[in-house]
Amino acid sequence: MGNGPIRKRNHAAVQWQGKKRSARKRRGFKLLGILDVQNTPCAREALLHGAGGSAVAGLLHFLVTSRVKRSFDVGFAGFMLTTLGSWFYCRLKNAKLRVQQRMVQEGIKNKILYEGTPLDPTNKPRPSGPS
Amino acid sequence: MAYPLQLGLQDATSPVMEELIQFHDHTLMIALLVSTMVFYTILTTVTSKLTNKNMLDSQGIETIWTIAPALILFLIAMPSLRLLYMMDEVNNPHLTVKTIGHQWYWSYEYTDYKNLEFDSYMIPTQDLIPGQFRLLETDHRMVVPTDSPVRMLITADDTIHSWAVPTLGVKMDAIPGRLNQTTFVVSHPGVFYGQCSEICGANHSFMPISVEAIPLIHFEDWSTSMLAKI
């Protein structure tokens, strides 16, 4: 047991972390110890869709052919395809949203900067005087 | 910042790091699925009772396992190249900071307006106050304004060092006789830590980097106070 000073939390250091306790990331479930399913965007949805697609594909194949092993193979292929498809679709959608979010943020920042100046893009052109 | 037994990347504090994390997740999911498929294939092969000594070729599967990996690599390469070029953009920096690696400390120079220069040594463990981080704190932090592109010019005085701050997605070698440039934007205020990332001698592990990002108005106050102190 050491006799060092008891380390108190430095409030300033905690503040500089930029996170409140309530907003701290949840301890996610790591699939195969690698992929943090809860905190990686689209991962949970992709895996759930994959599981569903796998079950449906495998079951349907079995109902039609009554071949167990081949149905497992079909189910696995369904899992791969559904997971990949759902993943790419979700990531593409998120990427587009992120681009829009950045454009909006830039627009808000510029609006604050240029408000009231001749460069303000919301300034409507004044009608010209009487002819 | 870093925490014990961490496996993944630190949270992003710059737009580039956000994109790096997105790319990492994208590639990891693909790698995970490929690994799962290989594992399943090995499992079915090992547990199969079928043996066919006369199978010589199969055009169908050969075609599939040639085109599919090519497609997967293409889907990884596209975002990778996009990110690679994005990381090289310079984006009209508002501030230029020069950093020089020495054995075993960093020095920073803000020469845009007035000559502000200071050294940044690690705070030894016995001098830490409660709440400070061991092997990460420095006596003088590199202070930058938030939401402003910052240009870093990095070089070294003696041996090769490397200036790295994981949460900003920045790592650049400091090489004597060479000037390397990188830029970053800090999205929100805070203190962000890094460590020298190129072996440079006995105290390579004891020359950390700490970057403090503050709003621009406070940055001007800080630079004034630093000039008065030095």
Side-chain angles (χ1 to χ4, degrees):
Chain A
M1 289 286 206
N3 290 325
I6 296 168
R7 288 185 177 262
K8 291 185 196 163
R9 226 177 244 282
N10 184 334
H11 194 59
V14 170
Q15 274 184 326
W16 278 124
Q17 294 297 325
K19 281 184 188 175
K20 292 181 192 170
R21 268 190 200 203
S22 57
R24 203 171 284 166
K25 270 204 297 205
R26 292 169 289 173
R27 277 262 166 111
F29 165 66
K30 282 197 158 80
L31 189 69
L32 297 183
I34 307 168
L35 181 71
D36 189 348
V37 174
Q38 279 182 317
N39 293 318
T40 304
C42 299
R44 186 175 170 270
E45 289 81 13
L47 287 169
L48 288 174
H49 285 140
S54 156
V56 165
L59 195 61
L60 276 177
H61 187 272
F62 177 72
L63 288 174
V64 170
T65 62
S66 299
R67 291 173 72 175
V68 176
K69 255 201 160 198
R70 183 53 60 92
S71 302
F72 268 106
D73 294 341
V74 169
F76 183 77
F79 169 78
M80 295 285 294
L81 291 170
T82 319
T83 306
L84 273 177
S86 168
W87 172 259
F88 283 126
Y89 174 72
C90 180
R91 297 289 286 191
L92 198 62
K93 217 168 51 162
N94 272 8
K96 284 183 187 166
L97 268 177
R98 271 205 325 276
V99 168
Q100 283 177 348
Q101 181 194 355
R102 284 212 193 105
M103 284 170 62
V104 166
Q105 274 179 338
E106 198 67 30
I108 292 172
K109 205 163 69 167
N110 285 343
K111 184 177 185 321
I112 294 169
L113 275 174
Y114 294 126
E115 206 165 18
T117 67
L119 296 168
D120 188 350
T122 58
N123 268 346
K124 292 197 174 82
R126 291 190 184 163
S128 53
S131 54
Chain B
M1 63 172 290
Y3 52 88
L5 301 177
Q6 180 177 357
L7 286 179
L9 298 166
Q10 294 184 27
D11 290 345
T13 313
S14 70
V16 162
M17 189 59 190
E18 286 173 15
E19 293 297 323
L20 280 166
I21 291 173
Q22 294 293 320
F23 175 69
H24 167 267
D25 293 340
H26 166 81
T27 311
L28 187 64
M29 177 59 92
I30 293 173
L32 202 68
L33 290 176
V34 168
S35 305
T36 311
M37 188 179 70
V38 168
F39 176 73
Y40 181 78
T41 308
I42 290 173
L43 197 65
T44 48
T45 307
V46 161
T47 55
S48 169
K49 294 189 182 78
L50 300 172
T51 47
N52 185 349
K53 293 182 288 186
N54 298 321
M55 191 191 303
L56 296 174
D57 60 6
S58 172
Q59 302 301 329
I61 197 165
E62 296 259 358
T63 309
I64 292 170
W65 70 32
T66 304
I67 292 177
L71 189 64
I72 289 171
L73 288 174
F74 178 78
L75 289 171
I76 295 173
M78 291 311 295
S80 172
L81 289 169
R82 176 187 151 265
L83 186 52
L84 192 65
Y85 282 89
M86 186 197 293
M87 287 165 67
D88 259 350
E89 286 176 4
V90 179
N91 281 336
N92 293 326
H94 296 175
L95 175 72
T96 298
V97 181
K98 297 167 198 167
T99 177
I100 302 166
H102 307 265
Q103 282 178 314
W104 287 279
Y105 63 98
W106 294 94
S107 62
Y108 300 104
E109 297 176 9
Y110 294 68
T111 52
D112 280 347
Y113 307 109
K114 295 189 180 173
N115 272 341
L116 171 59
E117 301 175 13
F118 55 90
D119 298 334
S120 177
Y121 281 84
M122 185 188 85
I123 297 178
T125 304
Q126 60 267 25
D127 296 341
L128 291 171
I129 60 173
Q132 287 189 313
F133 300 108
R134 191 178 70 92
L135 305 184
L136 290 176
E137 299 286 355
T138 56
D139 53 0
H140 298 111
R141 293 177 180 150
M142 185 185 106
V143 179
V144 293
T146 53
D147 278 328
S148 306
V150 175
R151 176 197 276 123
M152 293 289 303
L153 294 172
I154 301 164
T155 186
D157 200 24
D158 33 51
T159 61
I160 299 179
H161 303 266
S162 186
W163 197 85
V165 181
T167 185
L168 298 176
V170 172
K171 183 182 288 184
M172 188 58 76
D173 281 357
I175 298 169
R178 180 185 172 88
L179 210 54
N180 280 331
Q181 176 182 282
T182 185
T183 55
F184 59 86
V185 180
V186 187
S187 308
H188 52 263
V191 181
F192 313 109
Y193 299 98
Q195 292 176 292
C196 178
S197 299
E198 188 68 44
I199 187 79
C200 53
N203 285 346
H204 156 68
S205 312
F206 307 111
M207 49 180 295
I209 296 136
S210 68
V211 177
E212 183 174 347
I214 54 179
L216 184 60
I217 191 164
H218 300 304
F219 176 75
E220 290 166 0
D221 296 339
W222 168 82
S223 62
T224 310
S225 70
M226 282 296 282
L227 281 166
K229 209 179 352 175
I230 295 163

